[in-house]
Amino acid sequence: MAASTLLALALAAGVVDGVWEESLVPHQTVMDPSSSLHSLSRTSLPPAERSSDQILVASNDADGIHICVFSDRIDGLKGTMMSVGLNTPSPEKVHFWIVTTNLTAVEAAKSYVDTGLGRRSMKIHALHLDDITEQLEEDGTRPVWTWEEYGSSVVPGTNEYRDDWITDTTAIPAPWDHNHMHMHPLNHLRFYIPKMEQFSNLDRILFLDDDVIVQGDINYAWQAKRNVMF
């Protein structure tokens, strides 16, 4: 991927909201609106054997829209992907690249989305985190979660940070936000997107968290590069 790669956050395009609203899908119910995506549901399924689409490489065609999400959370994936499909005039042009440690969860979310969208469904590619990690290392990049020091700033078995790691310039999350989830490799993988072989032919890729609902045409975010000055 070129140095001028644009990692376009859909949030910046004004089409994303982190709160589920029933009005998002008039005349159609795809999720219990009483269950906010802010709850970050931990619904999960038994991990599947590794059989991801790691050999696939995204094609930089004129019509395709490529989105990556890094998640194990089936409920979050359902909501995020379905909101894109329902609010995009041509969902069949959308490619979702899901990096996960639970391929079974992605398959379940894909089935849900395919059923909801029918023949005009999106293309969903499942990638296993271990395969991506291996690919990065083979290409000469050592992801931070493979470092011996990774996680050593936290007191084992707690959400507290070790005093000997803290300096005057250390940024420490608020106590309510102390959660080991932030240390998961899937939370850090976004910084390695330009190094991922799957996206090497693209000049841009949209990154979405799995707790957002897209309330407009995702193509507006995809075309945001036209308005960016390098």
Side-chain angles (χ1 to χ4, degrees):
M1 190 175 291
S4 61
T5 297
L6 171 66
L7 175 57
L9 299 179
L11 188 61
V15 297
V16 172
D17 191 350
V19 181
W20 174 263
E21 294 182 6
E22 188 174 8
S23 60
L24 171 68
V25 190
H27 314 301
Q28 186 167 2
T29 301
V30 298
M31 180 181 290
D32 179 2
S34 66
S35 177
S36 170
L37 288 183
H38 276 308
S39 66
L40 299 180
S41 173
R42 298 298 191 274
T43 302
S44 60
L45 296 172
E49 294 183 4
R50 284 170 57 185
S51 58
S52 66
D53 296 332
Q54 74 271 17
I55 61 173
L56 294 179
V57 176
S59 175
N60 195 26
D61 58 273
D63 294 329
I65 298 173
H66 296 272
I67 304 169
C68 59
V69 181
F70 307 148
S71 174
D72 287 334
R73 301 189 295 228
I74 182 174
D75 289 342
L77 288 171
K78 284 180 179 180
T80 298
M81 292 194 295
M82 185 66 86
S83 71
V84 170
L86 290 172
N87 287 283
T88 299
S90 301
E92 65 276 6
K93 296 181 180 180
V94 175
H95 292 258
F96 264 102
W97 299 83
I98 312 296
V99 180
T100 183
T101 60
N102 192 341
L103 295 173
T104 305
V106 176
E107 187 60 32
K110 179 180 184 299
S111 178
Y112 175 86
V113 172
D114 287 346
T115 300
L117 298 180
R119 290 182 298 175
R120 300 178 68 241
S121 190
M122 302 173 291
K123 300 173 182 65
I124 300 173
H125 313 288
L127 308 168
H128 199 287
L129 175 64
D130 289 345
D131 293 326
I132 300 301
T133 301
E134 291 176 7
Q135 173 251 306
L136 289 171
E137 291 181 314
E138 289 173 359
D139 291 344
T141 298
R142 287 189 60 216
V144 65
W145 57 88
T146 67
W147 298 5
E148 183 178 350
E149 301 86 355
Y150 185 66
S152 58
S153 61
V154 177
V155 178
T158 74
N159 287 328
E160 302 299 323
Y161 292 90
R162 286 173 41 186
D163 292 339
D164 56 331
W165 271 80
I166 298 175
T167 70
D168 293 338
T169 59
T170 299
I172 302 177
W176 62 266
D177 200 28
H178 282 197
N179 192 313
H180 286 173
M181 175 183 68
H182 301 311
M183 297 173 56
H184 195 286
L186 288 174
N187 199 44
H188 295 288
L189 182 59
R190 67 193 68 187
F191 300 111
Y192 296 89
I193 290 174
K195 298 287 188 178
M196 291 177 60
E197 184 178 349
Q198 289 75 16
F199 309 138
S200 58
N201 292 333
L202 299 178
D203 61 353
R204 73 199 115 151
I205 183 83
L206 298 182
F207 172 79
L208 291 179
D209 277 327
D210 66 357
D211 59 349
V212 298
I213 292 298
V214 177
Q215 296 184 306
D217 183 356
I218 197 66
N219 189 56
Y220 291 127
W222 181 250
Q223 297 298 339
K225 184 180 180 182
R226 295 179 177 178
N227 302 318
V228 175
M229 298 297 294
F230 291 100

